[in-house]
Short mmCIF file of all heavy atoms in Angstrom, two decimals:
data_model
loop_
_atom_site.label_atom_id
_atom_site.label_comp_id
_atom_site.label_asym_id
_atom_site.label_seq_id
_atom_site.Cartn_x
_atom_site.Cartn_y
_atom_site.Cartn_z
N ARG A 119 31.46 -0.56 19.93
CA ARG A 119 32.56 -1.11 19.09
C ARG A 119 32.72 -2.56 19.41
O ARG A 119 32.81 -3.04 20.60
CB ARG A 119 33.84 -0.33 19.50
CG ARG A 119 35.01 -0.66 18.51
CD ARG A 119 36.15 0.35 18.83
NE ARG A 119 37.25 0.16 18.01
CZ ARG A 119 38.36 -0.66 18.31
NH1 ARG A 119 38.36 -1.28 19.44
NH2 ARG A 119 39.35 -0.78 17.48
N HIS A 120 32.79 -3.37 18.37
CA HIS A 120 32.89 -4.83 18.49
C HIS A 120 33.24 -5.43 17.15
O HIS A 120 33.23 -4.74 16.09
CB HIS A 120 31.61 -5.48 18.93
CG HIS A 120 30.44 -5.44 17.99
ND1 HIS A 120 29.80 -4.22 17.62
CD2 HIS A 120 29.91 -6.41 17.17
CE1 HIS A 120 28.96 -4.47 16.71
NE2 HIS A 120 28.96 -5.77 16.38
N ALA A 121 33.60 -6.71 17.07
CA ALA A 121 33.81 -7.46 15.84
C ALA A 121 32.97 -8.73 15.97
O ALA A 121 32.88 -9.33 17.09
CB ALA A 121 35.21 -7.79 15.57
N ASP A 122 32.38 -9.20 14.90
CA ASP A 122 31.56 -10.47 14.95
C ASP A 122 32.38 -11.64 14.79
O ASP A 122 33.10 -11.83 13.82
CB ASP A 122 30.53 -10.34 13.83
CG ASP A 122 29.66 -9.11 13.93
OD1 ASP A 122 29.61 -8.49 14.98
OD2 ASP A 122 28.95 -8.78 12.95
N GLN A 123 32.30 -12.59 15.77
CA GLN A 123 33.11 -13.77 15.71
C GLN A 123 32.32 -15.06 15.81
O GLN A 123 32.89 -16.16 15.77
CB GLN A 123 34.07 -13.74 16.87
CG GLN A 123 33.43 -13.65 18.26
CD GLN A 123 34.46 -13.61 19.39
OE1 GLN A 123 35.45 -14.30 19.29
NE2 GLN A 123 34.16 -12.84 20.40
N GLY A 124 30.97 -15.05 15.91
CA GLY A 124 30.23 -16.28 15.98
C GLY A 124 30.23 -17.06 14.70
O GLY A 124 30.51 -16.56 13.65
N TYR A 125 29.95 -18.34 14.84
CA TYR A 125 29.96 -19.23 13.64
C TYR A 125 29.07 -18.78 12.57
O TYR A 125 29.41 -18.80 11.31
CB TYR A 125 29.55 -20.68 14.10
CG TYR A 125 29.34 -21.65 12.93
CD1 TYR A 125 30.45 -22.19 12.30
CD2 TYR A 125 28.04 -21.94 12.49
CE1 TYR A 125 30.22 -23.12 11.19
CE2 TYR A 125 27.93 -22.80 11.44
CZ TYR A 125 28.96 -23.37 10.84
OH TYR A 125 28.81 -24.23 9.75
N TYR A 126 27.85 -18.27 12.89
CA TYR A 126 26.86 -17.91 11.88
C TYR A 126 27.44 -16.79 10.97
O TYR A 126 27.05 -16.77 9.77
CB TYR A 126 25.59 -17.43 12.55
CG TYR A 126 24.41 -17.25 11.60
CD1 TYR A 126 23.78 -18.37 11.09
CD2 TYR A 126 24.04 -15.97 11.21
CE1 TYR A 126 22.70 -18.17 10.21
CE2 TYR A 126 22.96 -15.83 10.31
CZ TYR A 126 22.30 -16.97 9.85
OH TYR A 126 21.23 -16.79 9.00
N TRP A 127 28.31 -15.94 11.49
CA TRP A 127 28.78 -14.83 10.64
C TRP A 127 30.09 -15.09 9.96
O TRP A 127 30.63 -14.22 9.27
CB TRP A 127 28.86 -13.55 11.52
CG TRP A 127 27.52 -13.10 11.90
CD1 TRP A 127 26.60 -12.46 11.14
CD2 TRP A 127 26.92 -13.32 13.25
NE1 TRP A 127 25.45 -12.24 11.89
CE2 TRP A 127 25.62 -12.75 13.14
CE3 TRP A 127 27.37 -13.85 14.41
CZ2 TRP A 127 24.78 -12.74 14.20
CZ3 TRP A 127 26.47 -13.87 15.51
CH2 TRP A 127 25.20 -13.31 15.41
N ALA A 128 30.67 -16.30 10.22
CA ALA A 128 31.96 -16.55 9.63
C ALA A 128 31.91 -16.52 8.07
O ALA A 128 32.84 -16.09 7.47
CB ALA A 128 32.53 -17.92 10.12
N GLU A 129 30.79 -17.01 7.54
CA GLU A 129 30.65 -17.08 6.11
C GLU A 129 29.43 -16.24 5.63
O GLU A 129 28.93 -16.58 4.48
CB GLU A 129 30.50 -18.55 5.64
CG GLU A 129 31.69 -19.44 5.99
CD GLU A 129 32.88 -19.13 5.09
OE1 GLU A 129 32.73 -18.41 4.02
OE2 GLU A 129 34.05 -19.53 5.47
N ARG A 130 29.01 -15.31 6.36
CA ARG A 130 27.86 -14.52 5.96
C ARG A 130 28.18 -13.05 5.94
O ARG A 130 28.95 -12.50 6.77
CB ARG A 130 26.70 -14.76 6.97
CG ARG A 130 25.96 -16.07 6.72
CD ARG A 130 24.99 -16.42 7.76
NE ARG A 130 24.28 -17.71 7.48
CZ ARG A 130 24.89 -18.90 7.64
NH1 ARG A 130 26.12 -18.95 8.16
NH2 ARG A 130 24.27 -20.01 7.33
N VAL A 131 27.64 -12.37 4.96
CA VAL A 131 27.75 -10.94 4.78
C VAL A 131 26.56 -10.29 5.47
O VAL A 131 25.43 -10.88 5.41
CB VAL A 131 27.82 -10.57 3.28
CG1 VAL A 131 27.99 -9.03 3.08
CG2 VAL A 131 28.97 -11.30 2.61
N ARG A 132 26.74 -9.13 5.99
CA ARG A 132 25.65 -8.38 6.59
C ARG A 132 25.30 -7.22 5.66
O ARG A 132 26.12 -6.30 5.52
CB ARG A 132 26.00 -7.91 8.02
CG ARG A 132 25.00 -7.07 8.67
CD ARG A 132 25.06 -7.19 10.16
NE ARG A 132 24.32 -8.34 10.61
CZ ARG A 132 23.80 -8.47 11.82
NH1 ARG A 132 23.92 -7.48 12.69
NH2 ARG A 132 23.14 -9.57 12.16
N VAL A 133 24.11 -7.22 5.06
CA VAL A 133 23.65 -6.22 4.16
C VAL A 133 22.83 -5.17 4.86
O VAL A 133 21.93 -5.53 5.67
CB VAL A 133 22.83 -6.82 2.97
CG1 VAL A 133 22.39 -5.73 1.97
CG2 VAL A 133 23.57 -7.97 2.30
N HIS A 134 23.13 -3.91 4.67
CA HIS A 134 22.36 -2.82 5.24
C HIS A 134 21.69 -2.01 4.21
O HIS A 134 22.32 -1.55 3.21
CB HIS A 134 23.31 -1.87 6.04
CG HIS A 134 23.59 -2.35 7.44
ND1 HIS A 134 23.18 -1.69 8.55
CD2 HIS A 134 24.35 -3.35 7.84
CE1 HIS A 134 23.62 -2.34 9.60
NE2 HIS A 134 24.36 -3.38 9.26
N VAL A 135 20.39 -1.74 4.32
CA VAL A 135 19.65 -0.78 3.54
C VAL A 135 19.05 0.18 4.47
O VAL A 135 18.07 -0.06 5.17
CB VAL A 135 18.55 -1.50 2.70
CG1 VAL A 135 17.72 -0.40 1.95
CG2 VAL A 135 19.16 -2.46 1.72
N PRO A 136 19.63 1.40 4.55
CA PRO A 136 19.05 2.44 5.42
C PRO A 136 17.68 2.87 4.94
O PRO A 136 17.50 3.15 3.75
CB PRO A 136 20.04 3.58 5.35
CG PRO A 136 21.29 3.00 4.81
CD PRO A 136 20.86 1.85 3.94
N ILE A 137 16.72 2.98 5.88
CA ILE A 137 15.35 3.34 5.54
C ILE A 137 15.01 4.69 6.12
O ILE A 137 14.55 5.59 5.41
CB ILE A 137 14.36 2.22 6.00
CG1 ILE A 137 14.62 0.92 5.29
CG2 ILE A 137 12.93 2.70 5.82
CD1 ILE A 137 13.84 -0.22 5.81
N ILE A 138 15.26 4.85 7.35
CA ILE A 138 15.05 6.18 8.05
C ILE A 138 16.45 6.52 8.68
O ILE A 138 16.93 5.76 9.56
CB ILE A 138 13.98 6.12 9.11
CG1 ILE A 138 12.66 5.84 8.47
CG2 ILE A 138 13.90 7.43 9.91
CD1 ILE A 138 11.49 5.57 9.43
#
Side-chain angles (χ1 to χ4, degrees):
R119 189 170 182 269
H120 69 289
D122 300 344
Q123 60 179 321
Y125 172 78
Y126 190 75
W127 294 286
E129 297 290 343
R130 284 170 179 78
V131 181
R132 175 153 279 204
V133 183
H134 277 248
V135 176
I137 296 173
I138 297 174

